[in-house]
């Protein structure tokens, strides 16, 4: 049996914790090379005690020396490092086979790209990295021969329903369209008036999935589905008009692929990220994930409905951005990150999220992407415009 060496970027987050849960079920098959975390140092410490990685990577020198001392006292010889360079190094290290990219937001772009450029098997949870850098990211995948396996449950489902040769082009393999399912989030039935006064706590209480704060707010605003639409365009080389979003409140059908002969293949499962994580870790093998068997009789019914662009404009903004191309998706992503953080810190309301994003997109015309620095510049300028908009209206 071959042993895979794994780096988990964002180990202390929701996806990171689920990844280590799956790994712990298969001792002897996976060895943890590095774990990284930006906060929750107590969680990272526990993880280091259990998995004994060679490296832990944290945000700064103060965190690093405190964690190093605690680990040393407990006889753990994990080396604690800090900063962006260390993140990239533990992703690209020659001894590493698999990198779980589970940092949230733009902060994950450079280490995820480092893993791609080093030709690793990259388990992609950090959708923002791909949204920001799409063409560049996919070119790096082709150049290095990296194997990118989607962790986002919808994209993992689509991957499972695609024929193995889908890279030949969707039309060539007989795919008519991709049906991307969305739960609709906690505010699916809310009126515009109700949406205006929802709180961060309400937005973070997702009905089906337990997730980090940022993606929870994205799910509530439907921007998560917008980012996923862009993600699917890149991963499956699909045009935006080949992807239809369908609201499916039970979150049991994780997405579907519609073929020209009328066949529609779907992947179903309980809403638990350990399923796509186990699938991508072991692919093409199947391993136990700890997720219980689907009980269709207790689910009893599966509902589907159309999304509502009027109450949830973020999906439409994302569709427009990916259609325009260039830097538009990086701008959309950056404005959304500022909008979500501003909502979470009570500096603006929930219905301001799409207004802020639309403003930033309107003042920053899309440019064709030159290189990574160009994307990072668009990201920075978009954040500045978003902050300026917020400052001027309050
Ligand atoms: P989370 O907030 O629970 O965890 C984020 C992780 O990133 C933590 O380990 C945190 O310490 C680290 N991090 C945060 N800021 C950082 C920074 N500036 N530099 C380095 N590390 C930093 O988030 P999550 O819910 O686990 O989501 C992670 C990613 O996976 C996101 O891109 C999200 O969209 C995607 N995703 C999550 C789920 C889910 O069920 N949670 C599902 C699909 C996709
Ligand atoms: Mg998803």
């Amino acid at each position: 049996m071959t042993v895979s060496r794994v780096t988990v970027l964002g180990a202390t987050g929701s996806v990171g914790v689920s990844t280590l849960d799956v790994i712990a079920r298969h001792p002897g098959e996976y060895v943890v090379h590095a774990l990284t975390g930006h906060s929750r140092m107590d969680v990272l410490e526990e993880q280091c005690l259990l998995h004994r990685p060679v490296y832990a990577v944290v945000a700064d020198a103060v965190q690093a020396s405190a964690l190093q001392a605690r680990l040393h006292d407990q006889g753990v010889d994990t080396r604690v490092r800090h900063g962006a360079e260390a993140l990239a190094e533990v992703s690209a290290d020659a001894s590493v086979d698999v990198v779980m990219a589970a940092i949230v937001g733009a902060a994950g772009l450079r280490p995820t790209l480092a893993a791609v450029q080093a030709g690793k098997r990259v388990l992609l949870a950090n959708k923002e990295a791909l949204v920001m850098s799409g063409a560049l990211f996919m070119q790096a995948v082709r150049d290095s021969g990296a194997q990118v396996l989607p962790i986002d449950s919808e994209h993992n489902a689509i991957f499972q329903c695609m024929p193995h040769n889908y890279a030949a082009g969707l039309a060539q393999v007989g795919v008519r369209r991709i049906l991307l399912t969305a739960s609709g989030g906690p505010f699916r039935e809310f009126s515009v008036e109700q949406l205006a006064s929802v709180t961060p706590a309400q937005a973070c209480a997702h009905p089906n999935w337990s997730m980090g704060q940022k993606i929870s707010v994205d799910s509530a605003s439907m921007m998560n589905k917008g980012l996923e639409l862009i993600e699917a365009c890149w991963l499956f080389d699909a045009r935006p008009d080949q992807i239809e979003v369908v609201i499916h409140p039970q979150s049991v059908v994780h997405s579907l692929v519609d073929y020209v002969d009328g066949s529609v293949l779907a992947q179903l499962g309980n809403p638990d990220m350990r399923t796509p994580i186990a699938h991508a870790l072991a692919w093409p093998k199947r391993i136990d994930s700890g997720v219980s068997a689907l009980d269709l009789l207790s689910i009893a019914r599966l509902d589907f409905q159309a999304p509502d662009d009027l109450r949830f404009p973020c999906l439409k903004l994302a569709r427009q951005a990916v259609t325009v191309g260039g830097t538009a998706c990086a701008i959309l992503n950056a404005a959304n990150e500022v909008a979500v953080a501003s909502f979470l810190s009570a500096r603006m309301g929930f219905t301001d999220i799409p207004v802020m994003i639309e403003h930033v997109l309107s003042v920053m015309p899309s440019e064709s992407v030159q290189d990574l620095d160009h994307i990072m510049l668009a990201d920075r300028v978009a954040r500045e415009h978003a902050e300026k908009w917020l400052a001027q209206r309050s």
Side-chain angles (χ1 to χ4, degrees):
M1 185 192 303
T2 53
V3 177
S4 291
R5 283 187 82 77
V6 186
T7 282
V8 184
L9 300 171
T12 56
S14 167
V15 172
V17 167
S18 294
T19 304
L20 291 175
D21 180 285
V22 176
I23 285 177
R25 288 167 195 277
H26 302 278
E29 289 184 51
Y30 301 99
V31 170
V32 177
H33 176 75
L35 296 175
T36 88
H38 208 65
S39 56
R40 301 177 74 200
M41 288 299 109
D42 50 332
V43 175
L44 190 58
E45 182 181 335
E46 283 298 315
Q47 293 175 336
C48 289
L49 286 175
L50 192 64
H51 295 280
R52 308 276 168 147
V54 181
Y55 295 107
V57 184
V58 298
D60 58 43
V62 178
Q63 270 183 351
S65 60
L67 180 62
Q68 187 72 80
R70 284 197 303 275
L71 291 176
H72 179 78
D73 289 350
Q74 296 169 87
V76 179
D77 56 8
T78 296
R79 227 183 108 202
V80 186
R81 305 180 57 191
H82 69 274
E85 206 169 302
L87 283 178
E89 278 175 25
V90 298
S91 305
D93 190 289
S95 70
V96 170
D97 304 299
V98 179
V99 175
M100 164 56 82
I103 290 175
V104 61
L109 175 56
R110 285 186 191 273
T112 304
L113 257 185
V116 167
Q117 284 159 348
K120 306 297 182 193
R121 171 177 290 202
V122 179
L123 312 191
L124 184 69
N126 180 208
K127 65 192 88 183
E128 296 91 345
L130 183 57
V131 165
M132 291 172 73
S133 69
L136 214 124
F137 188 106
M138 295 312 289
Q139 188 58 48
V141 171
R142 286 188 291 273
D143 290 347
S144 70
Q147 194 174 49
V148 175
L149 294 172
I151 291 301
D152 223 333
S153 55
E154 296 78 2
H155 304 73
N156 185 270
I158 296 163
F159 179 78
Q160 293 197 45
C161 298
M162 282 284 179
H164 69 277
N165 60 338
Y166 71 87
L170 296 189
Q172 276 67 26
V173 299
V175 170
R176 183 156 47 195
R177 36 174 207 160
I178 290 170
L179 297 162
L180 188 64
T181 54
S183 69
F187 309 139
R188 184 170 51 88
E189 309 275 12
F190 280 36
S191 65
V192 175
E193 295 70 37
Q194 287 173 305
L195 286 174
S197 58
V198 298
T199 65
Q202 283 175 296
C204 290
H206 195 279
N208 307 337
W209 296 94
S210 155
M211 308 182 287
Q213 281 196 323
K214 194 259 176 184
I215 183 174
S216 296
V217 176
D218 284 346
S219 298
S221 72
M222 291 287 289
M223 182 53 96
N224 184 48
K225 217 43 59 179
L227 299 177
E228 290 185 359
L229 170 76
I230 300 168
E231 186 185 8
C233 287
W234 289 113
L235 287 176
F236 304 108
D237 198 12
R239 295 187 314 269
D241 64 283
Q242 291 175 303
I243 303 175
E244 190 175 321
V245 173
V246 182
I247 304 285
H248 166 49
Q250 291 90 356
S251 299
V252 167
V253 177
H254 297 303
S255 277
L256 314 90
V257 176
D258 176 11
Y259 287 85
V260 285
D261 62 3
S263 300
V264 178
L265 303 193
Q267 186 259 1
L268 282 70
N270 286 317
D272 187 320
M273 288 306 289
R274 291 176 302 173
T275 294
I277 290 167
H279 172 264
L281 256 182
W283 185 84
K285 267 197 335 180
R286 296 274 179 177
I287 57 170
D288 173 37
S289 65
V291 177
S292 55
L294 187 66
D295 181 353
L296 277 178
L297 295 183
S298 76
I299 293 162
R301 57 182 277 184
L302 299 171
D303 296 305
F304 300 95
Q305 51 191 242
D308 179 352
D309 278 351
L310 283 177
R311 286 180 304 139
F312 300 101
C314 285
L315 177 58
K316 193 181 66 196
L317 292 176
R319 200 178 268 284
Q320 284 165 354
V322 71
T323 305
V324 169
T327 51
C329 291
I331 295 166
L332 172 99
N333 179 68
N336 181 55
E337 288 193 23
V338 176
V340 170
S342 306
F343 168 66
L344 283 171
S345 58
R347 291 164 71 211
M348 67 183 212
F350 184 74
T351 45
D352 292 326
I353 292 174
V355 183
M356 176 188 266
I357 298 166
E358 192 165 19
H359 165 77
V360 176
L361 283 166
S362 74
V363 294
M364 286 183 71
S366 174
E367 296 168 6
S368 58
V369 174
Q370 284 147 27
D371 52 21
L372 190 59
D373 287 343
H374 188 199
I375 291 169
M376 297 315 288
L377 178 67
D379 174 275
R380 199 174 69 239
V381 176
R383 285 167 199 269
E384 286 165 8
H385 279 298
E387 292 290 354
K388 209 160 88 190
W389 178 85
L390 190 58
Q392 276 171 356
R393 65 187 276 288
S394 48

